[in-house]
Each structure stands twice: as C-alpha cells, then as structure tokens.
Amino acid sequence: MYLPVIMNNTPESSFERCPVCQGSGSLRHLVTIREVPYWRCERCQCTLMDARCRLSPDDEQEVYRLHDNQPEDPGYRRFLNKLAGPLLARLAPGSEGLDFGCGPGPALAMMLREEGMQVRLFDPFFYPDHGALAGQYEFVTCTEVVEHLHHPLETFSLLDRLLKPGGLLGVMTCFQTDDSRFANWHYRRDPTHVVFYREATLQWLADHFGWVLEIPAKDVAIFHKPLSQPPVPGNG
C-alpha cells in the first residue's frame, strides 16, 4: 500500500495567478506530499501541483513513451468509447475534427475515422503538425490531456479558436472530487499530471468561454460552442 508523506508546513506558492482562471490571490495551500506542494484555487476550484515540481520536457516525454496504449486493444477502446460514443451521437456524418494531444498511438482518431469522421492529429511531442492548428473544426477531442497542461487557460483559448461556431469539444480527465483521498489517488501519483479539475472548474471554463457544459459519463465533459458567442471576458 502506498503511504504518502504529508507535510503540514505552508510553503510559498510558485504561482502569481491561477493558471486555469488567472485569479489573483485565489490560491491556498491544500497539502504537501513528499515535498510536493499542491494548491487549491478558491475561484475555479482546480488543484495544482507546484510549478517548481514539474518534470522537464525531456523527462515528461520519456514518461509518455512508457504508456502502452495500443489502438487495437479492446480494453483501451472501451475506455475511449466513454467519450467516442456520446460524441458520435452528437456529430453529423462526416464531420471534420482534430484529436488534440493524441499521443503516440492515436486510437480515438482511428475509432472516429472508422465511423466516417475526418480527423487530423496534433501532439506537441509525437505529431507536431502546427498546420493542423491553423484551421477550424466541427469537433476537437482531448483525451487524458488537460491534466498535463502547464498553461491551461492559454490552451483552452486555443481550443476555443479551433472550434467552429456550433462545434463540440470533448474532454476526458479524472475529475478530482475527494480531498481526503487526494494523497493516495492514482491519478495524482503520475508525475506528469500537474492540474486536476473538479466539475466546478469545468463549469468555470464553460462560463468563461460562453460554452455549454454537458457531462454524459463519469470523467467525460462535452463543451458545446454556441453558434453565436458573446466576447470572452478579460482575465483577472
């Protein structure tokens, strides 16, 4: 059984603002586990690993290379179908999309293509096709991606630009719910996971960008971008 070492001393935050909502002065120390401080944003309710404890890009990529996510694996496909199923039910035939952060084995894109969707790929490590970020799409998928983001609001702003009006953004990430279990939570123990989202965090993002949030399954969020949107409010 994994037994974390929990420190009760309060460190100094490495963040001037919350990287999810850009709230100033909104962070409080949640817990320190094995000398790694975690912070809670009182504005958007995210949980953050201290920025000083993040892996380097090279070390981060080495962890990703250890992932054995084979596109043909039936168990992995069942896992991805938690998002693929609800998304396909909401998309028109032949819709054009982008699998953002697809990783080395883009299984979700393969599954969507098998259903007649047109899917481009982007991953900063494995498919760095920046031309794919120049277009707009009827849907964008992010499976097991957003928990890795060092600059979440910037990335969600990019995702908003990538979506056509009326488009869908499908996100899979383990929602953080129980602070009492956070120290032993398997999701926290992945060293590349640096930001954890609650449902309230996802709702904040939806409100900020003028999206409509739907949660069709556990740990799955689908954001609907309206056909017309008010301007995105300024940060602060």
Side-chain angles (χ1 to χ4, degrees), residues 70 72-81:
Q70 299 298 324
E72 298 82 9
D73 177 33
Y76 189 44
R77 283 179 166 244
R78 282 193 298 272
F79 170 72
L80 293 175
N81 200 52

Side-chain angles (χ1 to χ4, degrees), residues 51-135:
R52 292 165 293 201
C53 301
R54 296 169 178 165
L55 298 181
S56 69
D58 288 343
D59 289 341
E60 189 176 1
Q61 186 173 7
E62 284 306 308
V63 174
Y64 298 151
R65 290 189 183 280
L66 297 175
H67 293 177
D68 187 24
N69 297 330
Q70 299 298 324
E72 298 82 9
D73 177 33
Y76 189 44
R77 283 179 166 244
R78 282 193 298 272
F79 170 72
L80 293 175
N81 200 52
K82 289 173 56 180
L83 173 59
L87 190 62
L88 286 166
R90 291 158 175 78
L91 290 173
S95 293
E96 296 181 355
L98 174 70
D99 191 2
F100 183 91
C102 59
L108 180 61
M110 180 183 293
M111 293 167 62
L112 296 173
R113 287 168 178 165
E114 289 169 356
E115 298 298 324
M117 302 300 158
Q118 304 176 57
V119 188
R120 293 190 69 173
L121 305 176
F122 176 80
D123 187 283
F125 293 115
F126 302 104
Y127 290 87
D129 177 11
H130 291 275
L133 304 182

